[in-house]
């Protein structure tokens, strides 16, 4: 069945292909609901300005340098999902957007504040790439103290949060950073969090997925009592972690454990032998004795369910 181009509701294409092959004026696609491209191009401004029905926009390009997008990207009144790769930065909107549910964007630390995110009161999925326009060498040289980000507990509808810090940007979460109680998935990458921060995260009642990628730099992590009661998936990348203290009532719902670059950790806590739902342990670039520990855990399982150990 042939659909006239002007009636298209979904447009997805690779912009590395010559735009001359697109047989239409993009500004005339007034019924578009979904746009997905790999690279921003100038004519896309017309799509934004002339498509009041646009709900989803994806610009997936990643890499360097960072490109500033026009503020018109916020213009569609029904915009619900905006996903930008880490090559694209846009200033915060000037007005509230109550429809936005998904936001993935590059943001300066000075904009990672409550006054900005209050503009998205119904946000459910937030992914932040922390970057800055200042040259990395200037960032490191101007001050040794980290840039402290904000709490996120005011985002009461938030279910998924990812914070990915630029390697050259010295940024950290505040002491005992607070998170929304509805949070189900949390990913922290290259952020400086303490054992106290982990204890706050451990008490989130609905948290199911936790990924810590060089986010915790302590040598000892003693999990708080009854911590992570609902967690299903745990990834830990911690090069300095030497001792991991876990009790019998922790991680009772855990199914999958991934340990990455844990060069100083030599043993998986024995209590993992008694986690009834544990299905797999994956080791990536870890200490050789950790693999031996995982194999021993596999043999000592009291449950009828086997645990797959992979490296």
């Amino acid at each position: 069945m042939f659909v006239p181009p002007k009636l298209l509701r979904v447009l997805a294409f690779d912009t590395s292909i010559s735009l001359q092959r697109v047989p239409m004026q993009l500004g005339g696609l007034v019924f578009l609901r979904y746009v997905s491209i790999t690279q921003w191009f100038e004519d896309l401004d017309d799509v934004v300005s002339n498509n009041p029905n646009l709900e989803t926009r994806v610009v997936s390009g990643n890499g360097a340098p960072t490109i500033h997008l026009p503020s018109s990207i916020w213009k569609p009144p029904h915009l619900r999902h905006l996903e930008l790769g880490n090559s694209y930065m846009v200033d915060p909107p000037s007005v509230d957007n109550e429809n936005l549910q998904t936001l993935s964007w590059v943001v300066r630390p000075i904009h990672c504040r409550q006054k900005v995110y209050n503009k998205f009161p119904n946000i459910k999925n937030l992914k932040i790439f922390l970057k800055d326009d200042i040259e990395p060498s200037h960032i490191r040289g101007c001050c040794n103290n980290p840039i402290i980000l904000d709490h996120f507990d005011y985002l009461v509808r938030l279910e998924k949060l990812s914070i990915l810090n630029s390697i050259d940007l010295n940024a950290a979460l505040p002491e005992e950073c607070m998170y929304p109680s509805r949070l189900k998935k949390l990913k922290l990458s290259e952020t400086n969090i303490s054992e106290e921060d982990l204890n706050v995260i451990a008490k989130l009642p609905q948290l199911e997925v936790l990924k810590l990628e060089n986010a915790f730099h302590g040598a000892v992590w003693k999990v708080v009592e009854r911590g992570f009661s609902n967690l299903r998936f745990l990834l830990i990348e911690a090069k300095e972690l030497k001792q991991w203290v876990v009790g019998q009532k922790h991680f009772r719902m855990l199914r999958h454990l991934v340990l990455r670059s844990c060069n100083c950790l030599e043993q998986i806590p024995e209590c993992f032998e008694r986690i009834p739902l544990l299905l797999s342990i994956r080791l990536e670039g870890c200490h050789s004795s950790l693999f031996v520990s995982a194999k021993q855990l596999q043999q000592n399982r009291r449950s009828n369910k086997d645990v797959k150990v992979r490296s």
Side-chain angles (χ1 to χ4, degrees):
M1 179 178 177
F2 176 75
V3 178
K6 68 179 298 183
L7 299 181
L8 282 177
R9 296 194 177 194
V10 176
L11 179 64
F13 62 98
D14 186 341
T15 47
S16 63
I17 302 173
S18 173
L19 293 180
Q20 295 178 355
R21 299 184 183 181
V22 182
M24 65 198 78
Q25 291 296 319
L26 296 178
L29 303 178
V30 294
F31 295 102
L32 272 181
R33 301 288 192 276
Y34 178 100
V35 173
S36 176
I37 60 172
T38 56
Q39 184 179 349
W40 181 269
F41 57 95
E42 185 176 354
D43 290 343
L44 202 58
D45 284 342
D46 292 336
V47 178
V48 174
S49 301
N50 299 314
N51 287 274
N53 299 309
L54 192 62
E55 296 180 357
T56 300
R57 169 177 297 169
V58 179
V59 186
S60 57
N62 293 300
T66 302
I67 299 170
H68 286 258
L69 299 183
S71 58
S72 59
I73 200 168
W74 302 108
K75 188 174 181 180
H78 302 293
L79 188 65
R80 299 178 63 191
H81 308 285
L82 176 61
E83 300 180 35
L84 304 177
N86 64 17
S87 291
Y88 298 100
M89 179 180 289
V90 60
D91 289 334
S94 57
V95 298
D96 294 355
N97 188 328
E98 296 186 357
N99 294 315
L100 198 69
Q101 296 184 11
T102 302
L103 175 60
S104 174
W105 68 334
V106 175
V107 62
R108 301 182 185 93
I110 60 171
H111 289 150
C112 196
R113 294 289 182 265
Q114 182 172 355
K115 65 180 181 180
V116 171
Y117 288 107
N118 274 343
K119 297 179 182 296
F120 316 118
N122 297 311
I123 193 81
K124 292 183 178 180
N125 184 350
L126 176 61
K127 186 174 185 179
I128 299 169
F129 298 99
L130 285 173
K131 287 188 178 182
D132 208 297
D133 291 338
I134 306 172
E135 289 295 326
S137 58
H138 294 163
I139 295 173
R140 288 195 299 266
C142 67
C143 185
N144 292 325
N145 296 323
I147 301 168
I148 305 299
L149 307 181
D150 207 347
H151 297 274
F152 294 91
D153 55 323
Y154 52 86
L155 299 174
V156 295
R157 299 183 184 275
L158 195 66
E159 297 179 359
K160 184 177 180 180
L161 173 64
S162 298
I163 304 176
L164 295 86
N165 184 19
S166 169
I167 295 175
D168 294 312
L169 190 61
N170 191 11
L173 297 171
E175 247 184 84
E176 293 196 12
C177 183
M178 304 306 294
Y179 302 88
S181 59
R182 290 189 182 185
L183 204 63
K184 295 181 179 179
K185 297 182 179 181
L186 176 62
K187 179 179 180 179
L188 301 175
S189 177
E190 301 291 342
T191 55
N192 298 318
I193 63 173
S194 65
E195 186 176 16
E196 288 75 18
D197 296 323
L198 289 173
N199 290 339
V200 171
I201 295 170
K203 295 177 182 179
L204 291 172
Q206 299 187 42
L207 190 67
E208 297 180 358
V209 175
L210 176 61
K211 299 180 180 180
L212 302 171
E213 299 179 345
N214 282 325
F216 174 64
H217 301 288
V220 179
W221 177 18
K222 184 177 181 180
V223 181
V224 67
E225 185 177 356
R226 298 184 183 275
F228 301 105
S229 60
N230 202 40
L231 200 68
R232 268 69 165 172
F233 180 96
L234 174 61
L235 183 151
I236 302 174
E237 182 178 356
K239 298 177 181 178
E240 299 171 30
L241 182 63
K242 294 182 179 180
Q243 186 179 5
W244 188 17
V245 182
V246 181
Q248 295 184 6
K249 296 183 179 180
H250 300 141
F251 302 111
R252 300 306 295 170
M253 303 297 290
L254 192 68
R255 290 165 172 77
H256 304 283
L257 172 64
V258 180
L259 299 177
R260 178 189 299 162
S261 300
C262 294
N263 303 320
C264 298
L265 187 65
E266 298 184 4
Q267 185 175 0
I268 296 175
E270 292 182 2
C271 70
F272 279 89
E273 296 176 6
R274 295 179 289 277
I275 296 179
L277 300 177
L278 189 62
L279 298 176
S280 70
I281 298 175
R282 183 175 181 87
L283 307 177
E284 301 176 1
C286 294
H287 197 287
S288 58
S289 63
L290 200 60
F291 183 78
V292 175
S293 174
K295 282 295 186 180
Q296 186 65 46
L297 182 149
Q298 186 181 42
Q299 295 174 8
N300 294 343
R301 286 282 289 183
R302 298 176 182 176
S303 160
N304 291 328
K305 292 185 178 180
D306 293 330
V307 176
K308 294 181 180 179
V309 176
R310 296 175 294 172
S311 61

